[in-house]
Amino acid sequence: MMKFRFRRQGNDPQREKIKQDLFAFNKTVEHGFPNQPSALAYDPKLQLMAIGTKSGAIKVYGAPGVECTGLHKETATVTQIHFFPGQGRILSLLDDNTLHLWEIGQKEQCSHLEEVRGFTLPGRSGIESTSATRVTVLLPKLSCDLLAVGTEGGGVHFLELPSFTLLDRSLFQDEIMQSVPEEYKCGKSLGPVESLQEHPQHPDKILIGYSRGLVVLWDLQSRHADNVFLGKQQLESLVWVRSGNSFVSSHSDGGYMVWPVSSSTPCTHEPVTCTIPYGPFPCKAVNKILWRTTESGAPLVLFSGGMPRASYGDRHCLTILQDSQHVTLDFTSRVIDFFTIHCIDRDKEFDDPLALVVLLEEELVVIDLQTAGWPTIPAPYLAPLHSSAITCSYHISNVPTKLWDRVISAGQQQCPLQTHTNWPICGGKNLAPSPKQQELLLTGHEDGTVRFWDASGVSLRPLYKLSTANIFQTDCDHNDSLTQAGEEDWPPFRKVGCFDPYSDDPRLGIQKICLCKYSGKLVVAGTAGQVIVLYLCDEKSDHMIDVATVDLLQDREGFTWKGHDRLPPKSGSVLFAPGFQPVVLVQCMPPAAVTAVTLHAEWNLIAFGTSHGFGLFDYHRRSPVLARCTLHPNDSLAMEGPLSRVKSLKKSLRQSFRRIRKSRVSGKKRVMVSSPSSKVQEANAQLAEQDAEVTPVQRRIEPRSADDSLSGVVRCLCFADTFLRDGTHHGPTMWAGTNSGCVYAYALDVPSQEKFSEQSVEALLGKEIQLMHRAPVVSIAVLDGRGNPLPEPYEVSRDLAKAPDMQGSHSVLIASEEQFKVFMLPKVSAKTKFKLTAHEGCRVRKVALVNFSSVASEDYSENGLVCLTNLGDIHVFSIPALRPQVRYDCIRKEDISGIASCVFTKTGQGFYLISPSEYERFSLSARVITKPLCQVDVDRPHDPSELSFCTTVPHQANGTHKAQTTGESKSAGDAEGVFDEISPLSSPPLDSPNSSADITLDTTGELTVEDVKDFLVTVDEAENNLRNMTEEDGRPPGIIIN
């Protein structure tokens, strides 16, 4: 008699409580470098740095682990930001001409950034042009009680702080012109206000610089011009000398001038000195200059720009001058802003700068000014993840201490030019507990490098960089030698920074990574079919690399590779630094991009797959074990390489329309079952019809054609010690899944460790499974007798994990793009399944097996199947029963690159790219959460409650949280009719404004034509998608087959 088991109607309170203790979704922190930075500020008292971006974000950083983020309501560029020193207040100016006041507040004993109010400056009465009141420069006085606002029309307005009350003492050009000699006026306007600087010794005096070149020392108390400096060159910036007896101006002709300030000379016509460092030929403007005095004697002069226009006008440079020392820092991206960390004690006579902090468009560089040679200081955060475009990522949880220390040691030996001075931006306190385990995030890049990052905490810290380009013959070495030989000694350039987006050869790009954390063995695979096996060594080595070629076509006739050539390996021995050193290079032929790779260090085996087939290689004996071609006779597109995707897309579009027509014809012939009135009848109908008929709650899934393009792509590989030949003898196996829904299972004969060198590994095809709808196989995992995932290599032999249950029946979990299915082993009989596409209207993109620990008890945990779909939502299922547990919205469905870049950890966290340079970190576990927990002690003379309601802004700078908040507004009359106040801003339900379209990702294995097909749906399918997204608890239960 057939037994049916139905899911109990309603929710089980006890199970719901367990789920609350296991699962919770949080977007916790953004790792990496802010996308498109636009402004920089520093608080010397609190030792905090703030960065503004073009998407309207403000990010505050202090000591490692101390960070908080705020997001403006408007997606407008932050053009300027200023700290109120010591008060934890930040003033921001957006390109829509609005001012915003932020405060670092306390919430649940942790610091966070919140916006308290905003203002906008309306036009001056009688002047219709809004450009005249456009703010060009802000100067908050050091006393934090007054704000000077310079405008494009040449006016300077004054606001009381922190109330933002406009004072009736605005200064306009006509008042300034009264102090200017007649011969200087010439009927010309002074131009916009370019710079405002407070006198270092007399706080009531400010220096006002106009674009035309005029500089005025203005007394705020007497409203009188003490001194006038008649500059004749277009002004760019001003800076005081610490004593206040002189100041320095920089100009558009590439020069700077030193002007004396004396009460006996109210009108100065000429500066003391005028210098064009890179003249006499025309130079670009010196955008900003700093002048810092030192106890050793000669002042330190730092300025950006000023390069010879004809020869080096395209260079992004910052110059450091001190006496006879002259260094031109040469960056690979544009200089946004810079500041020095120096002595601010007014009792001290000298600045004595400690460090120079330079914000570039693509990275942050810090220079040690106390050490001879001015070396760089390695940054513990804000690392440019995209120094070369990210192509893949790989996460390792619970890294052994031995491996951790060896990787750090290898990384330290790679940076001899870096100083070990403490990080100078060290404000705030990190309240987060020390991580219980070390985590590594590995990123593969377009230039053939693999970078190792410390992902244990809030700060993503670089540890080590591995380069694979040095084992191949490329043109880069020759080009570098020519460039170095051609460069002159003047200007004295020094390459600084690591951002280098240009790849010498796109074939070097890393596509897949696999690391054994116990043996220190690493496998990386690239775009040109190269698979490299590396060992971790503590000493440098000079050795030859063994090269083996594996023909995946197996001499099959009728196929001609039309793509790129293989990368030629170097002949002879190669010198390798301490760290991961290549020992074997396996070259797949044809040299297509590797789409899957896996490693079993105990068996000395690696498996790899491309769009043509898969191979098995014994790296101990340096011998191929197996090569299997997976091409279909009509798979011509697989022979054209990644540059022929236009043809593939056209064919995909044709096939999509054919399926639509086919489904309409077949739909007319089939009689649809009407909805049953009873839920019991509905469940019975589902069970009775199963796959033969379409039930009312399922969408119609058309079987895929066997000759679909790229059907032979190998999507996943795995090793497992399980039962394949019979139910009594277990042994090593290898599993491979393809794009056409085919699964190959091989039984392996692996010799014992004593006989590795004598006997070879043998592989025998044990099973071949063809999924009914031919949906691509995304993942394969073998479960033991208790339904738990099998442990990793070495975990059992080294007593690091509990031995798997080898008494009960094993099962294999096969996840395709459309459904999950569990088969019993060794008979491969179906046990249970869940049709995700039929029930949810989405396709599987990423899958992982995760262990969720309970917050209620350390001893209780559950294994779950985590799935990311093409709609950007995440589902968690129990295993092996495949019961849905929770569902969360995570990524925008339009963000294809973000979905393709997602990687899960084994403890319930995940990472995905929100911009080319930033990872969003999220957590699915209620227990394992990595988020900023920090505290900043501020000294505010005013009570923030006197201002207005404080609106908490989510710390997700890219708008990934969807929290709604409200605030109260204030009438414009409170600002005396000149400033219109904006109500406290709330966090909008925005998605990430950062464009991810230019992220380079693995376009062969991860981002395929199938991703684009998701958007080619009929109107009926779109309505079904919308209905499935809105139905939550009312969704009919899935079918459970015993």
Side-chain angles (χ1 to χ4, degrees), residues 145-191:
D145 59 355
L146 187 72
L147 173 67
V149 181
T151 64
E152 198 167 302
V156 180
H157 305 278
F158 299 95
L159 282 78
E160 186 179 275
L161 295 177
S163 63
F164 276 106
T165 303
L166 185 77
L167 302 178
D168 188 20
R169 49 201 277 193
S170 296
L171 177 64
F172 297 103
Q173 285 194 10
D174 49 2
E175 192 171 352
I176 293 293
M177 293 296 274
Q178 297 175 7
S179 305
V180 176
E182 288 296 329
E183 65 270 15
Y184 189 84
K185 295 179 181 179
C186 302
K188 295 180 182 179
S189 168
L190 297 179

Side-chain angles (χ1 to χ4, degrees), residues 38-39 140 280 431 842 851:
S38 55
L431 304 179
C842 54
N851 183 262

Side-chain angles (χ1 to χ4, degrees), residues 374-392:
W374 299 323
T376 59
I377 302 176
Y381 46 72
L382 289 177
L385 304 176
H386 64 318
S387 51
S388 174
I390 297 175
T391 50
C392 65

Side-chain angles (χ1 to χ4, degrees), residues 1001-1023:
L1001 291 169
D1002 173 7
T1003 55
T1004 303
E1006 302 291 350
L1007 193 57
T1008 66
V1009 176
E1010 295 297 325
D1011 294 303
V1012 185
K1013 289 182 180 180
D1014 298 330
F1015 299 96
L1016 303 173
V1017 295
T1018 63
V1019 175
D1020 294 338
E1021 288 178 312
E1023 290 177 352

Side-chain angles (χ1 to χ4, degrees), residues 897-937:
S897 297
I899 294 172
S901 64
C902 183
V903 58
F904 293 108
T905 76
K906 293 189 175 181
T907 56
Q909 297 190 80
F911 304 82
Y912 69 92
L913 287 171
I914 54 175
S915 76
S917 59
E918 292 172 289
Y919 273 111
E920 176 76 77
R921 186 172 189 148
F922 62 89
S923 176
L924 304 170
S925 170
R927 186 181 186 88
V928 182
I929 301 176
T930 303
K931 63 181 180 181
L933 295 173
C934 57
Q935 181 176 339
V936 178
D937 296 326

Side-chain angles (χ1 to χ4, degrees), residues 428-497:
K429 300 175 184 177
N430 182 13
L431 304 179
S434 299
K436 295 181 179 179
Q437 62 180 30
Q438 308 290 357
E439 298 180 31
L440 277 176
L441 179 67
L442 276 60
T443 53
H445 297 265
E446 195 178 40
D447 62 353
T449 58
V450 178
R451 286 171 167 81
F452 290 64
W453 308 91
D454 177 5
S456 311
V458 171
S459 301
L460 195 66
R461 184 167 60 100
L463 299 179
Y464 169 72
K465 183 177 81 169
L466 164 69
S467 177
T468 61
N470 59 341
I471 68 175
F472 298 106
Q473 295 177 15
T474 59
D475 297 332
C476 60
D477 299 331
H478 179 64
N479 291 337
D480 285 347
S481 62
L482 289 178
T483 303
Q484 292 171 1
E487 284 196 356
E488 303 175 2
D489 294 335
W490 182 261
F493 288 119
R494 183 204 293 173
K495 287 284 186 184
V496 181

